[in-house]
Amino acid sequence: MNGCYARFGKRVLDLLLVMVFLPVLLPMTALIIVCYILSANWPPMFVQDRNGRDGLPFRMLKFRTLKSDQDKPLEDRRFAWGSFLRRTGLDELPQLLHVLTGEMSLVGPRPLPPEYLPLYNESDKQRLKVRPGITGWAQINGRHGISWEEKFALDNYYADHISLKLDLKILFKTIVLFLSPGEDQSLKEEKFKGHQ
């Protein structure tokens, strides 16, 4: 955690990769917004409160993947375009803006809602030592298919073992998963209720 890469190199890598891929990512973002218009599911984005590094709150952007009707169950709020974005992870694309501003990193523990913070034990707080990420060690090792205990253990491992090699491995595996998306399990995930 005290290495040169963790302190300086990781931020440089974030900015470099975002700038390199921006010519591809901007048209992709525009195309996604056009698809929202054509599918009559507007607005395309929504904002969520999340905790970042050191537990500091920030407002996180995502592409909206559910209909706005809050009175209906989650399953009834699905629409095809939103389900595709959720399954592929493209709903996270707007978070590149947070990478540019320094609120997030390309790789790190996923930022969680503020209501989870009081439920953290001392070990859980390890994940707050680093910037949250668009993808992470837990995301490529099960994502929504593993327990909260496993997710926190994977996040803590990442926070203690940050390296260029590990970040590149996570980014490569993320691309592989993007190209072969499986079934979306995110709506079946239970909320974090603390460790039993």
Side-chain angles (χ1 to χ4, degrees):
M1 186 55 203
N2 296 320
C4 184
Y5 174 74
R7 285 182 288 164
F8 307 110
K10 185 172 173 60
R11 180 69 181 142
V12 172
L13 180 67
D14 282 342
L15 295 175
L16 181 63
L17 289 179
V18 171
M19 291 302 181
V20 166
F21 289 103
L22 209 55
V24 175
L25 298 173
L26 284 178
M28 185 183 296
T29 302
L31 179 61
I32 290 173
I33 292 174
V34 168
C35 289
Y36 272 97
I37 295 172
L38 295 177
S39 65
N41 285 290
W42 199 260
M45 294 190 194
F46 78 113
V47 181
Q48 291 180 316
D49 291 326
R50 295 294 173 103
N51 285 113
R53 188 175 186 177
D54 299 322
L56 296 175
F58 71 101
R59 304 274 281 166
M60 187 183 78
L61 287 170
K62 289 186 73 170
F63 278 122
R64 189 168 58 83
T65 58
L66 297 171
K67 294 178 180 178
S68 300
D69 192 346
Q70 300 286 338
D71 296 327
K72 292 183 178 179
L74 289 178
E75 287 291 337
D76 294 341
R77 293 168 57 196
R78 288 178 181 267
F79 58 92
W81 176 240
S83 295
F84 169 77
L85 292 179
R86 186 185 288 268
R87 191 171 66 253
T88 58
L90 284 172
D91 58 325
E92 315 287 358
L93 200 54
Q95 290 160 35
L96 291 172
L97 178 62
H98 299 301
V99 176
L100 290 175
T101 61
E103 293 169 309
M104 292 181 67
S105 175
L106 289 174
V107 179
R110 285 296 296 162
L112 297 177
E115 61 262 29
Y116 290 0
L117 197 57
L119 302 175
Y120 286 11
N121 60 30
E122 286 305 310
S123 177
D124 296 338
K125 293 176 183 177
Q126 184 78 1
R127 70 193 311 279
L128 299 175
K129 292 166 58 177
V130 298
R131 286 188 181 92
I134 295 177
T135 186
W137 192 230
Q139 276 58 53
I140 67 164
N141 284 289
R143 200 179 180 192
H144 301 294
I146 58 177
S147 68
W148 281 106
E149 285 75 13
E150 291 172 300
K151 287 180 186 177
F152 275 97
L154 289 166
D155 287 340
N156 289 344
Y157 175 88
Y158 176 79
D160 285 334
H161 296 84
I162 289 178
S163 69
L164 175 61
K165 181 179 178 181
L166 183 57
D167 276 3
L168 292 178
K169 179 178 180 179
I170 292 170
L171 289 169
F172 176 76
K173 185 68 181 293
T174 299
I175 293 171
V176 172
L177 292 173
F178 168 74
L179 295 174
S180 55
E183 181 185 356
D184 174 29
Q185 300 287 333
S186 58
L187 297 184
K188 299 177 183 178
E189 182 181 62
E190 293 186 2
K191 289 188 174 182
F192 179 61
K193 299 175 181 177
H195 300 293
Q196 302 301 319

